[in-house]
Amino acid sequence: MITVHHLENSRSHSTLWLLEELGAEYEIELYKRDPVTRLAPASLKDVHPLGKSPVITDGDITVAESGTIVEYLMRHYSQGQLQPADNEQARIDYSYFLHYAEGTMMPLMIINLLLSRVESAKMPFFIKPIATGITGKLREAYLTPNTQMNLNFLEERLNGRQWFTGDTLTAADIHMSFMLEGLSIGGTLDNLPNLKSCHERGKQRPAYQRAVERGGPLDLAAMRRS
C-alpha cells in the first residue's frame, strides 16, 4: 500500500491528484505545518532525512522529490494512463515539463517569495531603504525579466493546446499544477488567458476534486501571508 506523507499546503497535493487520476490505492499520513514558522514538522525526518514533502512509502521503498515520485508511480501504477503520445517529440516534451517545473520556474517563484518577505519584514526605519534597494535591484536585473520570459514561453506553449504536452493530460501536466497554483496568487494569471484556463481546467477534473476531499485544499496564499 502506498502511503503519501502529505504536508498541508505543499507539492504533495499534486501527488494526491496523480494517484487519484491513476486510480491507485493509497493512504495519507497528514503533517501540519508549524503555525508560526510554517515549516514542516520534525517528524517528517523520520520518513526521509531532509524532512521535506512530498515523500511516499510503498512497502519497504521510500521515494522523495516530486519528479522522482511521478516517475516511480508512472512506472509501477500507470497502466498506460497519463503517458505522452507514442512519438519522440511527445516523449521529449513530457520529460521537459517534468523537469521544467522544479528546475526552471519554481526557483524564480521562490526567489520572488523570499524577496517579498524581506520587503514586508519589520526592520529599523534606517535599514528599510537599504533592504528594499537591494531587493529592487535583484528584481530589476534578474527576477522580473527572467520571470516574464518564462511566463511568455508558457503562455505561448498553450496556444492551440489544452495542456503543456498536447491535448491529452499527462503526469507532467499534473506535476506543473503546483507551479500554476503559485502563479495564480495575486492575479498573476489574469493577463495570461491560456495559463489561467489550463489551471482552471485541472481544478475541474473529478480526480483533482477527490484529492482535495482527501488531503484538504491547497491554499498557497496562506503561505504568503505567513
Side-chain angles (χ1 to χ4, degrees), residues 10 15-17 20 23 27 33 38 44 50 54 70 95 103 121 128 139 151 158 160-161 180 188 195 217 219:
S10 76
T15 304
L16 301 182
W17 179 15
E20 288 292 340
E27 59 186 15
R33 291 182 180 274
R38 304 304 296 168
L44 255 177
L50 295 182
V70 171
S95 181
K128 191 74 171 180
R139 288 185 183 280
L151 291 176
L158 288 170
R161 293 183 176 92
L180 288 179
T188 302
L195 285 170
D219 183 11

Side-chain angles (χ1 to χ4, degrees), residues 5 7 31 33 39-55 64:
H5 297 270
L7 177 66
Y31 297 79
R33 291 182 180 274
L39 297 177
S43 55
L44 255 177
K45 291 185 177 179
D46 295 335
V47 185
H48 187 275
L50 295 182
K52 303 293 185 181
S53 182
V55 59

Side-chain angles (χ1 to χ4, degrees), residues 206-221:
Y208 180 98
Q209 294 169 13
R210 290 195 301 270
V212 171
E213 290 173 3
R214 292 194 61 178
L218 184 60
D219 183 11
L220 297 184

Side-chain angles (χ1 to χ4, degrees), residues 3-7 10-16 31 33 44 47-48 50-57 62-70 73 102 175 178:
T3 299
V4 180
H5 297 270
H6 174 47
L7 177 66
S10 76
R11 291 166 176 79
S12 58
H13 181 273
S14 300
T15 304
L16 301 182
Y31 297 79
R33 291 182 180 274
L44 255 177
V47 185
H48 187 275
L50 295 182
K52 303 293 185 181
S53 182
V55 59
I56 67 170
T57 51
T62 300
V63 189
E65 280 293 339
S66 53
T68 306
I69 290 171
V70 171
L73 293 176
E102 298 292 334
H175 188 54
F178 185 80

Side-chain angles (χ1 to χ4, degrees), residues 21-39:
E21 292 281 359
L22 295 176
E25 294 186 8
Y26 68 96
E27 59 186 15
I28 295 174
E29 184 74 27
L30 179 62
Y31 297 79
K32 294 286 189 178
R33 291 182 180 274
D34 184 284
V36 177
T37 67
R38 304 304 296 168
L39 297 177

